[in-house]
Amino acid sequence: MDLGTTNSLVGVVDSGFPILLADENGNRSTPSAVCYDHNGSIQVGNIALRQRALNPSRTVTSVKRLIGRRGGESDWRPHYNLSELGVTPAEVSAEILKRLKSIAENALEQNVSRAVITVPAFFNDAQRAATKKAGELAGLTVERILSEPTAAALAYGLDKLDEHQKVAVYDLGGGTFDISILEMRDGVFQVLATAGDTQLGGDDLDQALACFLAEKLSRPATDLHLLEAAESIKKRLSTDDTTEFHGVTITRGDLEKLAKPWLDRTRQHCLRALSDAKIKPGVLDEVILVGGSTRMPLVRQFVAELFGKEPNTSQNPDEAIALGATIQAGILAGSLRQVLLLDVTPLSLGIETFGGLMNIIIPRNTTLPAKAGEMFTNAVANQDIMLIRILQGERELANDNWELGRIEVPFPGGPKGSARVGVQFSLDADGILHVLARDTVTNSDTNLEIRGTAIDVADERVEQMIAESIEFAFDDMNERIWTEAKLKAEELLPAVEAALTQLGDAITADEAQTVRQHAANVRELLDGTDHDAKALKTATQLLDDATQTLAVLLLDRAMEESLARRGIL
Ligand code: AMP
């Protein structure tokens, strides 16, 4: 539930999806107005708001400005007197929450007893406690009091941000302005700083525009109709370039001229919040907009310039807080968690390694987000570039899998095996694969981002890939064993050759003959066309054992020479 200063909203998680609920008239937003009639009846929402003109002293609006404050603590003076009405701010808020509860109960056709309620980030303990009390008075168990900017960030899906990523939430509503800087820590948002003005919002711009119109039309600026007209003109100018009112043309430029000083007031608060959070605008990972006034193109442009980053406008700014509260409620109730965690890798992700084999880095069915890496080296001497092919699939051979991308990592040439290239795959919760290749010798990084493809694979293609991997499992496995044995053999053969030459007469003719025979067997299998992986593996193993004997002999020989040199033998 978003218990707002001007409007309040309610949502629920239905079948794993957060949705906001409408009242019987189809309105998802309920004015935060409560009218206490002479005859003792209480009306809430639009009906109450209509009473304001007739019955101002009995119609309570903007009670959020008073909740949890002691008398005299707020410099805001309402047009009503709560003690005359015999109610507390928490009781008034409870009426609004009761109304939201009944909207939810009507929509769901079942009893609603638990809620998450949002409050501004700057609310102190007393204000939070009073809000919780209001919930209880409305017959609700308050599962959590959630900060509005955090709720907004949840609605924008920013709970998937990495650790220490930072977000600015610019919230410009009808009567208040809030700026909050959040940081993701241990998987939850921390409010690093918050600033704002409880007397700054769209209403001020309506006033300024009403004065402008009054002057043009030579009417008194206090004309209430002008104020109402000003608001609708303002809203229209968010989409249209010009509009007309009683024969006067008003352009977006006119409005923007009036809005300039108004926006400049928000600038001071933003700079203050950034400085309190000890960060520069450039380091923000996301800037999000909340509040109806951020629909104005000028506000969006202003925010983009101020923070040096295009704001994220993917959510409805009037509904983001309520949506975030709903998401939080869903997470607490466990009805969203499964949905959030359902994302897994449909197919394995890896890179091609020596001999054209697939080396899996993130196996299929790994829950997102996921991170894994491995160290690779150069296969040939003096190679100065390593080509990394990023692959997806279940087949053993690189070429049978799908290539998602490739990167080239340059490194200083050196002997075989001297390069150290770390390859890290990190797959974020949105399925975007970030590949980082780091030459750990020179500490230089190469990055590649692969969007969508790592996760968005049509079901049929996944099925086909898995079916093929099973169908060809035997052949594939044979190819893998063959390739591995081949790589080993190609490494061993020259080593054996060298050892034999070096040792010369140190071993008997028979011993040398056995080793040569093993080497010949391996060579024959390598040159053959039937790719008998098992035979090659056995032959290579025998050659390897023989080389071990040679290696021991080489070592003994070296030791003897050394001792002899020192006159010990
Ligand atoms: P909120 O408190 O978030 O409901 O925001 C209400 C404020 O947003 C009021 O001042 C509205 O006049 C203003 N507002 C709503 N829609 C628009 C729009 N399309 N363009 C400009 N201002 C708007």
Side-chain angles (χ1 to χ4, degrees):
M1 293 179 170
D2 168 10
L3 181 61
T5 308
T6 331
N7 292 303
S8 295
L9 294 93
V10 59
V12 291
V13 174
D14 185 19
S15 318
F17 289 97
I19 49 162
L20 300 187
L21 301 171
D23 64 12
E24 57 282 2
N25 300 315
N27 296 319
R28 293 199 285 201
S29 163
T30 299
S32 304
V34 182
C35 178
Y36 292 87
D37 225 334
H38 289 288
N39 56 24
S41 73
I42 301 172
Q43 279 152 342
V44 182
N46 274 311
I47 313 176
L49 204 53
R50 267 181 250 124
Q51 290 290 316
R52 187 164 59 170
L54 306 170
N55 218 345
S57 66
R58 304 199 71 88
T59 310
V60 183
T61 50
S62 299
V63 73
K64 191 172 178 178
R65 295 184 188 275
L66 300 172
I67 199 162
R69 293 174 182 262
R70 271 168 286 156
E73 220 176 57
S74 167
D75 48 13
W76 181 70
R77 291 281 157 263
H79 56 267
Y80 48 81
N81 186 330
L82 286 187
S83 41
E84 267 173 24
L85 291 170
V87 289
T88 64
E91 284 166 346
V92 179
S93 300
E95 294 301 334
I96 301 166
L97 293 172
K98 268 189 219 166
R99 172 78 183 133
L100 298 182
K101 181 174 183 277
S102 91
I103 292 174
E105 288 176 338
N106 284 340
L108 299 172
E109 295 179 337
Q110 69 182 58
N111 190 30
V112 170
S113 59
R114 297 187 296 157
V116 169
I117 305 175
T118 54
V119 294
F122 62 77
F123 258 26
N124 61 27
D125 285 346
Q127 291 168 304
R128 284 165 199 256
T131 304
K132 190 166 183 211
K133 172 97 183 299
E136 287 159 2
L137 289 172
L140 293 163
T141 305
V142 181
E143 296 289 339
R144 183 156 307 174
I145 292 287
L146 183 66
S147 269
E148 287 166 4
T150 305
L154 279 176
Y156 275 88
L158 303 187
D159 49 322
K160 296 173 186 111
L161 285 182
D162 286 342
E163 281 295 283
H164 303 296
Q165 289 207 301
K166 296 179 182 68
V167 185
V169 184
Y170 182 99
D171 179 351
L172 187 58
T176 58
F177 168 66
D178 291 306
I179 172 76
S180 309
I181 311 289
L182 312 181
E183 185 184 46
M184 182 54 101
R185 275 193 214 153
D186 302 325
V188 290
F189 285 110
Q190 301 277 328
V191 180
L192 292 186
T194 170
D197 187 334
T198 53
Q199 316 286 338
L200 175 65
D203 299 349
D204 300 301
L205 190 55
D206 299 346
Q207 285 283 358
L209 185 58
C211 288
F212 173 86
L213 294 173
E215 204 170 301
K216 291 253 176 195
L217 297 164
S218 312
R219 283 215 227 153
T222 47
D223 188 336
L224 270 181
H225 293 297
L226 274 188
L227 199 57
E228 267 172 36
E231 186 184 9
S232 71
I233 291 168
K234 173 188 77 175
K235 287 185 182 172
R236 229 174 300 141
L237 288 175
S238 284
T239 44
D240 300 350
D241 287 337
T242 61
T243 184
E244 207 180 304
F245 181 67
H246 290 289
V248 178
T249 302
I250 304 122
T251 65
R252 188 184 285 173
D254 292 331
L255 178 69
E256 293 186 342
K257 229 181 258 159
L258 296 170
K260 189 78 183 40
W262 173 68
L263 281 180
D264 279 339
R265 285 173 63 196
T266 74
R267 183 199 310 274
Q268 302 311 319
H269 297 294
C270 293
L271 297 177
R272 163 88 193 285
L274 286 170
S275 115
D276 285 352
K278 299 190 178 54
I279 59 167
K280 294 205 169 65
V283 309
L284 290 166
D285 298 286
E286 286 277 356
V287 177
I288 63 177
L289 299 179
V290 182
S293 300
T294 63
R295 288 184 190 277
M296 287 178 61
L298 182 67
V299 175
R300 296 183 171 191
Q301 193 185 323
F302 169 85
V303 171
E305 278 165 20
L306 181 59
F307 292 104
K309 188 168 191 71
E310 276 307 315
N312 182 337
T313 54
S314 59
Q315 293 298 319
N316 191 339
D318 324 282
E319 298 185 341
I321 291 173
L323 189 64
T326 307
I327 293 170
Q328 179 68 66
I331 294 171
L332 289 175
S335 47
L336 261 187
R337 191 165 295 143
Q338 297 95 322
V339 174
L340 290 177
L341 291 182
L342 256 182
D343 271 352
V344 293
T345 49
L347 292 170
S348 302
L349 296 164
I351 67 171
E352 174 176 348
T353 55
F354 304 146
L357 292 177
M358 164 79 164
N359 183 312
I360 293 178
I361 295 188
I362 298 183
R364 71 181 288 260
N365 273 339
T366 303
T367 307
L368 267 54
K371 204 181 241 183
E374 250 176 74
M375 197 68 103
F376 296 92
T377 186
N378 53 329
V380 271
N382 294 322
Q383 178 185 348
D384 57 6
I385 201 147
M386 192 187 277
L387 171 70
I388 297 178
R389 290 175 70 202
I390 295 117
L391 306 169
Q392 177 174 43
E394 306 308 315
R395 304 291 301 277
E396 297 285 349
L397 294 188
N399 284 340
D400 290 331
N401 291 310
W402 303 325
E403 182 177 307
L404 297 182
R406 41 172 76 196
I407 41 181
E408 287 183 343
V409 184
F411 50 82
K416 176 181 171 191
S418 62
R420 288 275 172 274
V421 177
V423 177
Q424 188 190 62
F425 276 21
S426 73
L427 194 53
D428 68 19
D430 295 323
I432 296 169
L433 176 64
H434 304 266
V435 182
L436 165 75
R438 175 171 296 163
D439 176 354
T440 57
V441 179
T442 59
N443 246 342
S444 52
D445 287 354
T446 313
N447 286 287
L448 179 69
E449 189 182 283
I450 299 168
R451 292 190 159 265
T453 37
I455 287 303
D456 289 340
V457 189
D459 288 351
E460 312 86 74
R461 295 194 71 203
V462 172
E463 276 166 27
Q464 190 190 343
M465 173 55 88
I466 293 168
E468 279 175 7
S469 77
I470 296 166
E471 187 184 341
F472 299 111
F474 189 77
D475 293 347
D476 274 10
M477 195 38 76
N478 195 56
E479 272 306 310
R480 174 172 281 273
I481 297 170
W482 169 265
T483 308
E484 280 168 357
K486 177 169 166 265
L487 286 170
K488 187 153 187 197
E490 284 169 352
E491 199 173 294
L492 278 175
L493 286 170
V496 170
E497 224 42 77
L500 283 174
T501 328
Q502 244 182 307
L503 282 166
D505 52 354
I507 51 173
T508 64
D510 271 1
E511 283 170 331
Q513 185 49 34
T514 317
V515 174
R516 281 204 185 90
Q517 188 54 51
H518 285 316
N521 288 346
V522 169
R523 219 170 278 124
E524 195 185 326
L525 284 163
L526 271 182
D527 293 342
T529 47
D530 49 358
H531 281 204
D532 186 343
K534 263 206 185 129
L536 180 63
K537 196 176 173 188
T538 317
T540 312
Q541 193 57 49
L542 287 171
L543 179 63
D544 196 20
D545 295 345
T547 348
Q548 299 295 328
T549 326
L550 288 183
V552 172
L553 278 172
L554 266 177
L555 200 69
D556 285 352
R557 162 77 65 96
M559 187 71 86
E560 268 171 35
E561 279 175 2
S562 152
L563 292 174
R565 258 202 317 275
R566 286 189 270 151
I568 298 172
L569 270 183

